[in-house]
Amino acid sequence: MIIVLKPGTSEQDIQQVADAVKKFNYEPRLIRGVERTIVACVGNERSHHTLESLIVLPQVESVTPIQKKYKLVSREYQARDTVLDVAGCKIGGDTFHVIAGPCSVENEAQTLETAKAVKSYGATLFRGGAFKPRTSPYDFQGLGRDGLALLQQARAATGLPIVTEVMSPQDVEMVAACADILQIGARNAQNVPLLAAAAASGKTILLKRGVSGLIDEWLLAAEYICVHGNSKVILCERGIRTFETYTRNTMDISAIPVVKKLSHLPMVADPSHGTGRRDKVAPMARAAVAAGADALLIEVHPDPDRALSDGAQSLRPEQFEELMAQLRMIAPAVGRTI
Amino acid sequence: MIIVLKPGTSEQDIQQVADAVKKFNYEPRLIRGVERTIVACVGNERSHHTLESLIVLPQVESVTPIQKKYKLVSREYQARDTVLDVAGCKIGGDTFHVIAGPCSVENEAQTLETAKAVKSYGATLFRGGAFKPRTSPYDFQGLGRDGLALLQQARAATGLPIVTEVMSPQDVEMVAACADILQIGARNAQNVPLLAAAAASGKTILLKRGVSGLIDEWLLAAEYICVHGNSKVILCERGIRTFETYTRNTMDISAIPVVKKLSHLPMVADPSHGTGRRDKVAPMARAAVAAGADALLIEVHPDPDRALSDGAQSLRPEQFEELMAQLRMIAPAVGRTI
Amino acid sequence: MIIVLKPGTSEQDIQQVADAVKKFNYEPRLIRGVERTIVACVGNERSHHTLESLIVLPQVESVTPIQKKYKLVSREYQARDTVLDVAGCKIGGDTFHVIAGPCSVENEAQTLETAKAVKSYGATLFRGGAFKPRTSPYDFQGLGRDGLALLQQARAATGLPIVTEVMSPQDVEMVAACADILQIGARNAQNVPLLAAAAASGKTILLKRGVSGLIDEWLLAAEYICVHGNSKVILCERGIRTFETYTRNTMDISAIPVVKKLSHLPMVADPSHGTGRRDKVAPMARAAVAAGADALLIEVHPDPDRALSDGAQSLRPEQFEELMAQLRMIAPAVGRTI
Amino acid sequence: MIIVLKPGTSEQDIQQVADAVKKFNYEPRLIRGVERTIVACVGNERSHHTLESLIVLPQVESVTPIQKKYKLVSREYQARDTVLDVAGCKIGGDTFHVIAGPCSVENEAQTLETAKAVKSYGATLFRGGAFKPRTSPYDFQGLGRDGLALLQQARAATGLPIVTEVMSPQDVEMVAACADILQIGARNAQNVPLLAAAAASGKTILLKRGVSGLIDEWLLAAEYICVHGNSKVILCERGIRTFETYTRNTMDISAIPVVKKLSHLPMVADPSHGTGRRDKVAPMARAAVAAGADALLIEVHPDPDRALSDGAQSLRPEQFEELMAQLRMIAPAVGRTI
């Protein structure tokens, strides 16, 4: 922690701050500058009590933490990239992976048709929602348990590993029995009991960034999973909320290189939720690959206009095929193959 | 829904949209304007499928929903203000209420001392956290079940009704056994299983706005509680995330008159979380009363520098006393008594 | 500047940073912490070159400025409140001032009728736009020079000092000949040549916060005026851009206590632009007074539906009268009279 | 305009709205829906008075404009892409252009060295600031007129066309005498007198998006230039302000496909200002190309640590070379050559 004192602070008031710092078991070091004295506080900020409440002392101008709160997810803790093996798909390595499928699984025909189509065009994992967190209670909430059965059929038919969302700690066991990757959605990005329960399943977790999640909050949510003994986490950028409304969210493509530098975990980008508009999915998917993502999460639906959720952002199978061809051209520029 | 077509759309393309609209069981009405034709779609938007996916048709410029998704929480459903009786405190009526107490209950002495102090200065309900959702897994997570016991002691000692947070569906029953009002925090503002479980308890729910929650999302979260049969909901403004970092959040004071016009539910303001800074709590508490809030949620701690959470935003008891005196001067300007 | 080095940085790499710091004429002081070494750099950050470019060294984790860039506007430079005398109105003192009038002056009748009405209800300054910065080139751009003549008539008729906007350096002389206070709008909040020209006029400047202006940027814009020899600046909070669209902007009421603590300059709040909705103006005007503003800027129009600009946010004269009565009840709670 | 009335509005109140609409010379058409009546108002919204002030009628729920305010810049006005010829560089066509150079020109050696380096690696235009809009009055404000002379030397030495910023209407003539493209910066994105003066120069204008500029505001700023008789406008995405602070701005890559669909004007992306961090420039430059930009604006400095402005975001010449090689691999995926 760095405590900056106001100009003209008296010796006595400087000492008061130093004493307060010692009470919290940090060691204060005074640096007397041109206008201001600063107090550098030596001690482990992760395990010690925060000094931020000292901001309310009249002589204190600012209190700035130095140490990042997250540890297990950081590059300092593990310099090399984490590569996760999900039923044979090595996510985070040289091969770029595309996870594709409908927003919600709706029935057997739609599920199987989509799974077979995306596999034929190059997707290596299948996504589909059975439990859907919806903003309105009047919207389709997913098929639930029946949806999980359809996902199992899709895996049986195609061999593709399954990615699906879990919304409640009570459902983790049931969903984990069917899924290869448990998705935690943006609305649950700081749902601590859910993070803990999902971690305990031992499954790989795909953790979306919160609706307006700071990168530090996102990494700390991943840290919650790691401290519960499960370090198989994939981080998913899915757009943040800004003032611009032409797109449903503003996809923060720069978060990809930022997080890849801070953390060893693999990163996936979700341009479907990131834009909310079918015709923006391909440009943003290309951008995500070019910026260094490890994988993509793409919504595909055989008849998007009739989709029970998020049809406006779902690609038709033939659009997905075209996108895959473009991605194959871009990947080598960032040292990847698809 | 209003569908705006692009200028120069052919009759055939107009008809295509009209046909699509009919397939979704809306009745299309064409309005031919100066440059554009618009298609007004008559039908219940709450129960019908959304037409928003039509945005992807090349001749469609925009699709705008007309009907609000929420119903039970709206002024249209109930014109008069809801007044909730919580152990004799009538929240939403002519009397302004102040809910005060520490961020976390830490031990018996701190809990009882704070409860007695805030009661003596005019608080009518007591708040204190036992289950704490924290951004970092390394921060104090609350006393849990032991904290609930302390809250019961505080009620026994002062008679003040208790407000405390619940974080997980599994804990609802246990927390509801102790609390008069269940708080759902900003991080869980769209945690659907938790909203449903809390609703089922039959308790009054204090529902915080999400970290970057749209007003419509907030009202729909309240609608989730209502559709589960519990209309005892208090809405809590606690600041939104913006680019400005001088305060922890930016308190959206204008949300108070906005929501009071849209909804019949009572509104409480939380200037402690809304600002994150002790010296900003009093000005924002005064502002919230002047803008028409029904109640305040204020953090008070006998020794804020040593608080185990959020000390920087907690008032000392004597500061709380001074604030109450100011609030008593402002309340009559908005037709209230404290 | 505080430079935080990554854990495990070698002595040689630490020395490289220290040497770089010396090249920029700062004195490096090393503090060796538990995990990290930090380099505190002693030197005047306002006059020295920034060290922020050192962030790109591989061993550097963060570079944090310590010293605020603004000086003349700060409380450290002048502890007492600035009180500005504008034609006898003492802005920033114990008396609360209300500046009222139409968004644009449109014709003689509208101008004089409004000026007389707002004076009769207690406004002490008159506002009206002659040069209007509009988002669309197809919207009414103001009467220009003819509008200035109308403003002079309003002053002659009522004795109220005049506040009006200037948009271009070339117009400063002309506008200053007519106005008592030059307003610089949100769109020009960082228009450096305009800030300089306005400062040179010697008039009091009402400086609005930028559309998404950081508080630091706003204070630095005021600093530009001060370094050009004019310290007669009033800061005006007028709402910031956020994701919420129920109001035109989100009024940052907390900026009032924040800026009053950082700076000695008077602060005015503009709830008309801050909300964009007539029925939200009164609640936010009351909130601004309660939070400690020194003055208000309120749009009033005798026939708002026919206003040539911003009619939706203009009060009718009788609504302004009612608001003034409420403000007179609140002001004493913050030690003011109206 | 679409006016939505509240449920249960009486015939008399419906008629009041219809009459108000007629007074503004729109033709009202009533559509009676399930819960609500809506009034579709037929008339040219660009030339007629806005109806938005009707929102304050008690029976009105919302007023929604239908027509976009911009016209000349829209795809509807001109379907084909605008291709601008700047001293032989065809911007907006099949060839991708890279504009590179230092943030500020500082001296002859730095200017010429950079210009020659970027040309040798493939840049086709040279950028450099002579007039610098800085947030702080204590920061380097550019060399002004001397800087323009250096830019002319760079053009003489390399043949590259020059892009440089103009900040004040008075300077337009002087800057236009030296520059091939006049840049209007983010802080002046809505500086109407400057837009008009720059348009009058007849030069190509590179118009940056405002610091928190809506896409509609940006297109309307371009429209201001067009209505002043100059349609040679290049739009420049340079990042928007969000809550995330790991990057200086959040680059809105999705604005590229959004604006390319709405407007026929060419688009350039500025990853240097968009990120503020040298190591994020290359990933975001690659992403912008992949998303469909027509050109890039890249800061390059031979000794970034000693740059007088924005050194932290400037590439070294060898980094620029490496980036160009990557871009050449990506361009074909979007049908471009570099």
Side-chain angles (χ1 to χ4, degrees):
Chain A
M1 299 270 176
I2 297 291
I3 301 175
V4 179
L5 304 184
K6 292 192 180 151
T9 298
S10 70
E11 273 311 306
Q12 189 181 336
D13 284 350
I14 293 173
Q15 207 50 52
Q16 185 197 15
V17 173
D19 290 348
V21 167
K22 282 183 205 156
K23 273 201 291 188
F24 289 106
N25 296 313
Y26 289 85
E27 183 195 331
R29 304 262 183 89
L30 301 184
I31 297 130
R32 292 164 196 276
V34 175
E35 284 194 349
R36 286 160 171 78
T37 294
I38 70 175
V39 184
C41 309
V42 176
N44 189 329
E45 299 179 17
R46 204 173 286 122
S47 55
H48 283 53
H49 193 286
T50 179
L51 297 173
E52 287 176 271
S53 64
L54 297 181
I55 186 65
V56 295
L57 290 177
Q59 69 270 46
V60 171
E61 186 169 293
S62 66
V63 180
T64 307
I66 293 301
Q67 205 175 355
K68 289 292 176 194
K69 285 274 184 171
Y70 51 83
K71 177 180 176 184
L72 305 176
V73 301
S74 72
R75 282 276 176 201
E76 295 156 10
Y77 184 78
Q78 178 188 311
R80 65 172 170 75
D81 286 346
T82 284
V83 180
L84 296 173
D85 186 326
V86 179
C89 294
K90 301 217 161 41
I91 298 175
D94 290 343
T95 302
F96 190 92
H97 286 275
V98 179
I99 308 165
C103 180
S104 303
V105 291
E106 299 170 8
N107 54 58
E108 187 177 320
Q110 171 250 19
T111 304
L112 295 185
E113 181 183 342
T114 312
K116 288 170 186 169
V118 299
K119 184 182 183 186
S120 73
Y121 299 133
T124 45
L125 299 97
F126 183 62
R127 61 145 291 152
F131 294 90
K132 302 296 303 172
R134 301 303 298 276
T135 300
S136 165
Y138 304 112
D139 285 343
F140 176 60
Q141 310 276 317
L143 295 181
R145 192 182 291 266
D146 293 344
L148 296 179
L150 293 177
L151 291 168
Q152 282 182 302
Q153 281 189 263
R155 184 168 43 187
T158 62
L160 295 181
I162 299 299
V163 182
T164 197
E165 179 159 355
V166 62
M167 286 170 58
S168 179
Q170 293 109 312
D171 296 340
V172 165
E173 195 178 356
M174 174 175 59
V175 179
C178 149
D180 299 279
I181 297 182
L182 296 181
Q183 176 178 314
I184 300 210
R187 294 173 182 81
N188 285 312
Q190 294 192 297
N191 181 340
V192 172
L194 181 61
L195 295 170
S201 74
K203 289 280 176 181
T204 296
I205 314 289
L206 186 152
L207 176 65
K208 291 207 170 183
R209 184 180 186 176
V211 175
S212 288
L214 291 167
I215 286 173
D216 278 354
E217 291 172 343
W218 190 16
L219 292 175
L220 281 166
E223 186 86 7
Y224 263 108
I225 298 172
C226 292
V227 298
H228 281 89
N230 183 345
S231 58
K232 294 186 286 183
V233 181
I234 301 169
L235 298 168
C236 178
E237 163 62 29
R238 43 77 71 198
I240 57 175
R241 179 162 286 167
T242 71
F243 57 83
E244 184 55 69
T245 56
Y246 266 105
T247 42
R248 183 166 152 181
N249 297 292
T250 297
M251 223 175 149
D252 183 5
I253 294 287
S254 65
I256 298 170
V258 168
V259 172
K260 289 297 288 182
K261 192 171 180 188
L262 295 171
S263 173
H264 52 83
L265 296 173
M267 277 205 72
V268 57
D270 175 355
S272 303
H273 285 89
T275 64
R277 290 279 172 264
R278 194 184 305 160
D279 61 341
K280 307 299 178 270
V281 170
M284 298 309 283
R286 298 192 305 256
V289 175
D294 297 300
L296 283 169
L297 193 64
I298 305 273
E299 294 194 356
V300 179
H301 193 286
D303 184 5
D305 296 346
R306 301 203 148 267
L308 293 178
S309 58
D310 286 345
Q313 71 195 31
S314 296
L315 295 186
R316 299 173 193 284
E318 63 272 22
Q319 294 173 315
F320 180 67
E321 179 181 18
E322 188 184 349
L323 171 60
M324 289 299 292
Q326 297 170 335
L327 300 183
R328 284 193 189 92
M329 292 181 71
I330 294 173
V334 288
R336 302 276 191 166
T337 56
I338 298 188
Chain B
M1 298 270 177
I2 297 291
I3 301 175
V4 180
L5 303 184
K6 291 190 184 155
T9 298
S10 70
E11 274 310 305
Q12 189 181 335
D13 284 351
I14 293 173
Q15 205 51 51
Q16 185 196 17
V17 173
D19 290 348
V21 166
K22 280 184 207 155
K23 272 201 291 188
F24 289 108
N25 295 313
Y26 289 84
E27 182 195 332
R29 305 261 182 91
L30 301 184
I31 297 131
R32 292 165 195 275
V34 175
E35 285 194 350
R36 286 161 172 77
T37 294
I38 70 175
V39 185
C41 310
V42 176
N44 189 329
E45 299 178 17
R46 204 174 287 120
S47 54
H48 283 52
H49 193 285
T50 179
L51 298 174
E52 288 175 272
S53 63
L54 297 182
I55 186 68
V56 297
L57 291 176
Q59 68 270 47
V60 171
E61 186 169 294
S62 65
V63 180
T64 308
I66 292 300
Q67 207 175 354
K68 290 291 177 194
K69 286 273 186 172
Y70 50 83
K71 176 180 176 185
L72 305 177
V73 302
S74 72
R75 282 275 176 202
E76 295 156 10
Y77 184 77
Q78 178 187 312
R80 66 174 168 72
D81 286 345
T82 285
V83 181
L84 297 173
D85 186 327
V86 179
C89 294
K90 302 217 161 42
I91 298 176
D94 291 341
T95 302
F96 191 92
H97 285 275
V98 179
I99 308 165
C103 182
S104 303
V105 292
E106 300 170 5
N107 55 58
E108 184 177 323
Q110 172 250 16
T111 304
L112 295 184
E113 182 184 340
T114 310
K116 288 171 185 168
V118 300
K119 183 182 184 185
S120 73
Y121 299 133
T124 45
L125 299 97
F126 184 62
R127 63 144 290 151
F131 294 91
K132 301 296 304 171
R134 300 305 297 275
T135 301
S136 166
Y138 304 111
D139 286 342
F140 175 61
Q141 311 275 317
L143 297 180
R145 192 181 291 268
D146 293 345
L148 296 178
L150 293 177
L151 290 168
Q152 283 183 301
Q153 280 188 266
R155 185 169 42 187
T158 62
L160 295 181
I162 299 299
V163 182
T164 197
E165 179 159 354
V166 61
M167 285 170 59
S168 180
Q170 294 108 313
D171 296 339
V172 166
E173 194 178 357
M174 174 174 61
V175 178
C178 151
D180 300 278
I181 297 181
L182 296 182
Q183 177 177 315
I184 300 210
R187 293 172 182 82
N188 286 313
Q190 294 192 296
N191 181 338
V192 171
L194 181 61
L195 294 171
S201 75
K203 289 281 176 180
T204 297
I205 313 290
L206 188 153
L207 176 65
K208 291 205 171 185
R209 184 179 184 176
V211 174
S212 287
L214 291 167
I215 286 173
D216 278 354
E217 291 172 341
W218 190 15
L219 292 176
L220 281 166
E223 186 86 6
Y224 263 109
I225 298 172
C226 292
V227 298
H228 281 89
N230 183 345
S231 58
K232 293 185 288 181
V233 181
I234 301 168
L235 298 167
C236 179
E237 162 63 30
R238 45 75 73 197
I240 57 174
R241 180 162 285 169
T242 71
F243 58 82
E244 184 55 68
T245 56
Y246 266 105
T247 43
R248 182 165 153 182
N249 296 293
T250 298
M251 224 178 147
D252 182 5
I253 294 288
S254 65
I256 298 170
V258 167
V259 173
K260 289 298 287 183
K261 192 171 178 185
L262 296 171
S263 173
H264 53 83
L265 295 172
M267 278 206 70
V268 57
D270 176 356
S272 303
H273 285 88
T275 65
R277 289 280 173 263
R278 194 184 306 161
D279 61 341
K280 305 299 178 272
V281 170
M284 297 310 282
R286 296 192 307 255
V289 175
D294 297 301
L296 284 169
L297 193 63
I298 304 274
E299 294 194 355
V300 178
H301 194 286
D303 184 6
D305 296 348
R306 299 200 150 268
L308 292 179
S309 59
D310 287 345
Q313 71 196 31
S314 296
L315 296 186
R316 299 174 192 284
E318 63 273 19
Q319 294 173 313
F320 179 67
E321 178 181 19
E322 189 184 348
L323 171 60
M324 290 298 292
Q326 297 171 336
L327 299 183
R328 285 191 189 95
M329 290 181 72
I330 293 173
V334 288
R336 302 274 192 167
T337 55
I338 299 187
Chain C
M1 297 271 176
I2 297 291
I3 301 175
V4 180
L5 303 183
K6 291 190 182 155
T9 298
S10 71
E11 273 310 306
Q12 189 180 336
D13 285 350
I14 293 174
Q15 206 51 50
Q16 183 197 17
V17 173
D19 290 348
V21 167
K22 281 184 205 154
K23 273 201 290 188
F24 289 107
N25 296 312
Y26 289 83
E27 183 196 333
R29 306 262 182 88
L30 302 184
I31 298 127
R32 294 166 194 277
V34 174
E35 284 193 350
R36 285 160 173 78
T37 294
I38 72 176
V39 185
C41 309
V42 176
N44 189 329
E45 298 178 17
R46 204 174 286 122
S47 54
H48 283 53
H49 194 286
T50 179
L51 299 174
E52 287 175 271
S53 63
L54 298 180
I55 185 66
V56 296
L57 291 176
Q59 70 270 46
V60 171
E61 185 169 292
S62 66
V63 180
T64 308
I66 292 301
Q67 206 174 353
K68 289 292 175 194
K69 286 273 184 171
Y70 50 83
K71 177 180 175 186
L72 305 177
V73 303
S74 73
R75 283 276 176 201
E76 294 156 9
Y77 184 77
Q78 178 189 309
R80 65 173 168 75
D81 286 345
T82 285
V83 180
L84 296 173
D85 187 326
V86 179
C89 294
K90 302 215 161 42
I91 299 174
D94 291 342
T95 302
F96 191 92
H97 285 275
V98 178
I99 308 166
C103 181
S104 303
V105 291
E106 299 170 8
N107 55 58
E108 187 178 319
Q110 173 248 17
T111 305
L112 295 185
E113 183 183 341
T114 311
K116 288 172 188 168
V118 300
K119 183 182 182 185
S120 72
Y121 299 133
T124 45
L125 299 98
F126 183 63
R127 62 145 290 152
F131 294 90
K132 301 296 304 171
R134 302 304 297 277
T135 300
S136 166
Y138 304 112
D139 285 343
F140 175 60
Q141 310 276 316
L143 296 180
R145 192 182 290 267
D146 293 342
L148 297 179
L150 292 177
L151 291 168
Q152 282 182 303
Q153 279 188 264
R155 184 168 44 187
T158 62
L160 295 181
I162 300 299
V163 182
T164 198
E165 179 159 356
V166 61
M167 285 169 60
S168 180
Q170 294 108 311
D171 296 340
V172 166
E173 196 179 354
M174 176 175 58
V175 178
C178 151
D180 299 280
I181 297 181
L182 296 181
Q183 177 177 315
I184 300 207
R187 293 172 182 81
N188 286 312
Q190 294 192 297
N191 181 339
V192 171
L194 181 61
L195 295 171
S201 74
K203 289 281 175 180
T204 297
I205 314 291
L206 187 153
L207 176 66
K208 291 204 171 185
R209 184 180 186 176
V211 175
S212 288
L214 291 167
I215 286 172
D216 278 354
E217 291 172 341
W218 188 16
L219 292 175
L220 281 165
E223 186 87 5
Y224 263 108
I225 298 172
C226 292
V227 298
H228 281 91
N230 183 345
S231 58
K232 293 185 288 182
V233 182
I234 302 168
L235 299 167
C236 178
E237 162 63 28
R238 44 75 72 199
I240 56 175
R241 181 161 284 168
T242 71
F243 58 81
E244 184 56 68
T245 57
Y246 266 106
T247 43
R248 183 165 153 183
N249 296 291
T250 298
M251 223 177 149
D252 182 5
I253 294 286
S254 65
I256 298 170
V258 167
V259 172
K260 290 296 289 181
K261 191 171 180 186
L262 296 171
S263 173
H264 52 83
L265 296 172
M267 278 205 72
V268 57
D270 176 355
S272 303
H273 285 90
T275 64
R277 290 277 172 266
R278 194 183 305 160
D279 61 340
K280 305 296 178 275
V281 170
M284 297 310 282
R286 297 192 305 256
V289 176
D294 296 301
L296 284 170
L297 194 63
I298 304 274
E299 293 194 357
V300 178
H301 195 285
D303 184 6
D305 295 346
R306 300 201 149 269
L308 293 177
S309 58
D310 287 347
Q313 72 196 32
S314 297
L315 294 187
R316 300 173 192 283
E318 63 272 20
Q319 294 173 314
F320 179 67
E321 179 181 17
E322 188 184 350
L323 171 60
M324 289 298 293
Q326 296 170 336
L327 299 182
R328 284 191 189 94
M329 290 181 72
I330 294 173
V334 287
R336 302 274 191 167
T337 56
I338 299 188
Chain D
M1 299 269 176
I2 297 291
I3 302 175
V4 179
L5 304 184
K6 292 190 182 154
T9 298
S10 70
E11 273 311 305
Q12 188 181 335
D13 284 351
I14 293 173
Q15 206 51 51
Q16 185 197 15
V17 173
D19 291 347
V21 166
K22 282 182 204 158
K23 274 200 290 189
F24 289 108
N25 296 314
Y26 289 85
E27 184 196 331
R29 306 261 182 93
L30 301 184
I31 297 130
R32 292 164 195 277
V34 174
E35 284 194 351
R36 286 159 173 77
T37 294
I38 71 175
V39 185
C41 309
V42 175
N44 190 330
E45 298 179 18
R46 205 174 286 121
S47 54
H48 284 51
H49 193 286
T50 178
L51 298 174
E52 287 176 271
S53 64
L54 297 182
I55 184 68
V56 295
L57 290 177
Q59 68 269 46
V60 171
E61 186 169 293
S62 66
V63 180
T64 308
I66 292 299
Q67 206 175 354
K68 289 292 178 193
K69 287 274 186 172
Y70 50 84
K71 176 181 177 184
L72 306 176
V73 302
S74 71
R75 282 277 177 200
E76 295 156 10
Y77 184 78
Q78 179 188 310
R80 65 173 168 74
D81 285 346
T82 285
V83 180
L84 297 173
D85 186 327
V86 179
C89 294
K90 301 216 162 40
I91 298 176
D94 290 343
T95 303
F96 191 91
H97 286 274
V98 178
I99 308 164
C103 180
S104 303
V105 291
E106 299 170 8
N107 55 58
E108 187 178 320
Q110 171 250 17
T111 304
L112 295 184
E113 182 183 342
T114 311
K116 288 171 185 168
V118 299
K119 183 183 183 185
S120 73
Y121 298 133
T124 46
L125 299 98
F126 183 62
R127 61 145 292 152
F131 295 91
K132 302 295 304 170
R134 302 303 299 275
T135 301
S136 166
Y138 304 112
D139 285 344
F140 176 60
Q141 310 277 316
L143 296 180
R145 192 180 291 267
D146 293 344
L148 296 179
L150 293 176
L151 290 169
Q152 283 183 301
Q153 281 189 263
R155 184 168 44 186
T158 61
L160 295 181
I162 300 298
V163 183
T164 197
E165 179 159 356
V166 61
M167 285 169 60
S168 180
Q170 293 108 312
D171 296 340
V172 165
E173 196 179 355
M174 175 175 59
V175 178
C178 151
D180 299 277
I181 295 181
L182 296 182
Q183 177 177 315
I184 301 212
R187 292 171 181 84
N188 286 312
Q190 294 191 297
N191 181 340
V192 171
L194 181 61
L195 295 171
S201 74
K203 290 279 176 182
T204 297
I205 314 290
L206 187 153
L207 176 66
K208 293 205 170 183
R209 184 180 186 176
V211 175
S212 287
L214 291 166
I215 285 173
D216 277 353
E217 291 172 342
W218 190 15
L219 292 176
L220 281 166
E223 185 87 5
Y224 263 108
I225 298 172
C226 292
V227 297
H228 281 90
N230 184 344
S231 57
K232 295 186 285 183
V233 182
I234 302 168
L235 298 168
C236 178
E237 164 62 30
R238 43 77 71 198
I240 56 175
R241 179 161 286 166
T242 71
F243 57 83
E244 184 55 69
T245 57
Y246 265 105
T247 44
R248 182 166 152 182
N249 296 292
T250 297
M251 223 176 148
D252 182 5
I253 294 287
S254 65
I256 298 170
V258 168
V259 172
K260 290 297 288 180
K261 191 171 179 188
L262 296 172
S263 174
H264 53 83
L265 296 172
M267 278 206 70
V268 56
D270 176 355
S272 304
H273 285 91
T275 64
R277 289 278 172 266
R278 193 183 307 161
D279 60 340
K280 305 300 177 270
V281 170
M284 297 310 281
R286 297 192 307 256
V289 176
D294 296 299
L296 284 169
L297 192 64
I298 304 273
E299 295 193 356
V300 178
H301 194 286
D303 185 4
D305 295 347
R306 299 200 149 269
L308 293 179
S309 57
D310 287 346
Q313 72 195 32
S314 297
L315 295 186
R316 300 173 193 285
E318 63 273 20
Q319 294 173 314
F320 179 69
E321 179 181 18
E322 187 183 350
L323 171 60
M324 289 299 293
Q326 296 170 336
L327 300 183
R328 284 192 190 93
M329 292 180 71
I330 294 173
V334 288
R336 303 272 192 168
T337 56
I338 299 188

